[in-house]
Amino acid sequence: MSVRFPRIAPSEITPREVFLSRRALLAGALASGASSLLRAADAPAPPSGATPGRLQYTRNAQLSVSETPNKLAEIAGYNNFYEFGTDKDDPARNAGTLHTSPWAVTIDGEAEVKGRFTLEDVIQPHPLEERIYRFRCVEAWSMVIPWVGFPLADLLARFKPTSKAKFVGFTTLYDPKQMPGQRAPVLQWPYVEALRMDEAMHPLTLMVVGLYGQVLPNQDGAPLRLMAPWKYGFKNIKSIVKISFLEKAPRTTWNIAAPEEYGFFANVNPQVDHPRWSQATERRIGGALLSSRRPTLMFNGYAEQVAGLYRGMDLKRYF
Ligand SMILES: Nc1nc2c(c(=O)[nH]1)N[C@H]1C(S)=C(S)[C@@H](COP(=O)(O)O)O[C@H]1N2
Ligand SMILES: [Mo]
């Protein structure tokens, strides 16, 4: 499948001042669906009756799987977010110390438009969609998750990457006061991840801001996280504060921690086992105990859309 470049007119690449006035306009237009996340600081409060944190979005059925989504309690109660502890129930208990507003995102590297932008500047030009995606952790468990977000490709295009930009790097917030897990040297902090440019521009690759129609719970990577659904969970970096356009592939957190176990690509592949366990099957979280084991699908079931990105590559070598 060829990678479609989004049709974004040059006028869409607006200078910061225009973003700011547009933000004020949008704050009014968002009306009852406005969330505190998307509302400018000076905007009127949502009318009473509106649920705080509720997002406005359209359903993208075409890019959604038809499997039944996991319950919110499962998705927000069984997490990997080592900045808040290494047990699956640590993030839900500890992520309350993360302050997601105000939030800034820095854009740097090989792009014409760079700088430090507010979260509102980053998100507001983009219509939000709900997409129900399969999610597969490298630890051989899986879920089905109704994310709310927008294509990463649309965001990247606004910053006009130069022809030198071959990779996109992402960095999580580093603040041990808010993220107590960063006081322990379990990983190299801050958490960093990256995609090849064609992976980043793929229409399935989502910038996620919500879950089940609501602003993301902190433990799931608020206020902004990545979701490339054909890759193992660890590629999908949470609480992003920096996006970098890069000439060369950077090192990535789990690859630094254990390079023989976690490659750069991290494509879900039932034929390439982790050195310490099989990837042939997975346990669906929340499923009935005996029936919850199922075969893992090539590229997590997205082979038809993404296999072309890796044509000719030895996936045992580039794992
Ligand atoms: N910053 C950061 N991002 C991260 C992680 C992390 O520890 N820190 N864990 C990764 C792993 S291993 C997985 S499986 C997913 C889990 O996302 P979820 O908790 O929303 O299901 O987040 C990924 N992104
Ligand atoms: Mo994971």
Side-chain angles (χ1 to χ4, degrees):
M1 178 178 192
S2 66
V3 177
R4 266 182 295 130
F5 201 84
R7 288 170 281 108
I8 293 191
S11 59
E12 181 62 22
I13 316 296
T14 42
R16 192 178 150 73
E17 299 70 43
V18 182
F19 278 159
L20 294 175
S21 57
R22 180 195 284 175
R23 180 173 67 172
L25 284 173
L26 271 162
L30 278 168
S32 62
S35 73
S36 56
L37 176 89
L38 295 177
R39 197 154 35 83
D42 54 350
S48 55
T51 317
R54 191 90 213 149
L55 298 166
Q56 277 191 335
Y57 58 89
T58 55
R59 295 221 151 84
N60 188 329
Q62 213 200 326
L63 293 181
S64 291
V65 295
S66 51
E67 290 160 79
T68 307
N70 278 86
K71 298 190 178 80
L72 179 60
E74 292 160 351
I75 302 166
Y78 189 88
N79 302 98
N80 274 331
F81 200 170
Y82 278 22
E83 285 84 341
F84 296 103
T86 55
D87 288 342
K88 297 287 180 281
D89 56 352
D90 283 340
R93 269 190 294 116
N94 300 332
T97 52
L98 177 67
H99 302 295
T100 57
S101 180
W103 190 270
V105 179
T106 297
I107 310 290
D108 67 9
E110 290 295 338
E112 286 174 35
V113 184
K114 293 189 270 199
R116 197 164 181 267
F117 301 88
T118 68
L119 181 71
E120 291 79 7
D121 290 338
V122 168
I123 296 173
Q124 279 200 345
H126 301 281
L128 300 180
E129 298 173 22
E130 180 184 73
R131 298 186 184 186
I132 303 171
Y133 277 171
R134 276 192 210 94
F135 178 87
R136 173 60 157 78
C137 176
V138 73
E139 297 164 311
W141 52 267
S142 66
M143 297 201 206
V144 173
I145 305 185
W147 302 113
V148 177
F150 58 91
L152 175 63
D154 295 354
L155 180 67
L156 298 184
R158 286 168 55 207
F159 301 103
K160 297 182 142 196
T162 72
S163 60
K164 283 185 180 169
K166 299 288 193 282
F167 293 86
V168 183
F170 303 88
T171 306
T172 294
L173 176 71
Y174 178 71
D175 185 349
K177 283 199 221 78
Q178 295 185 56
M179 296 179 146
Q182 291 176 333
R183 293 172 208 160
V186 280
L187 289 172
Q188 195 176 97
W189 309 115
Y191 198 103
V192 286
E193 258 306 336
L195 297 171
R196 212 171 57 188
M197 187 55 90
D198 58 347
E199 299 176 321
M201 297 303 287
H202 192 280
L204 281 175
T205 307
L206 210 58
M207 278 276 97
V208 169
V209 299
L211 169 57
Y212 266 114
Q214 305 270 128
V215 167
L216 268 183
N218 285 357
Q219 59 267 34
D220 286 285
L224 187 69
R225 64 93 53 93
L226 181 66
M227 190 47 58
W230 69 96
K231 292 180 177 286
Y232 290 119
F234 70 87
K235 290 299 281 184
N236 298 303
I237 183 171
K238 296 174 167 182
S239 306
I240 294 166
V241 294
K242 190 162 79 169
I243 300 177
S244 306
F245 293 96
L246 304 166
E247 246 187 294
K248 297 207 171 81
R251 295 299 303 274
T252 51
T253 288
W254 278 101
N255 184 251
I256 293 167
E260 59 297 321
E261 299 190 9
Y262 310 103
F264 176 83
F265 287 96
N267 292 318
V268 175
N269 188 340
Q271 290 147 35
V272 177
D273 287 338
H274 185 281
R276 293 184 282 129
W277 59 81
S278 167
Q279 294 290 21
T281 64
E282 65 199 44
R283 180 174 57 93
R284 178 62 52 82
I285 299 299
L289 273 180
L290 287 172
S291 63
S292 63
R293 231 174 227 282
R294 59 184 65 223
T296 287
L297 304 173
M298 187 64 199
F299 294 112
N300 205 22
Y302 297 94
E304 200 184 307
Q305 294 102 311
V306 302
L309 297 175
Y310 311 102
R311 197 152 288 145
M313 279 173 66
D314 176 356
L315 297 179
K316 287 200 161 67
R317 178 167 176 205
Y318 298 103
F319 61 100

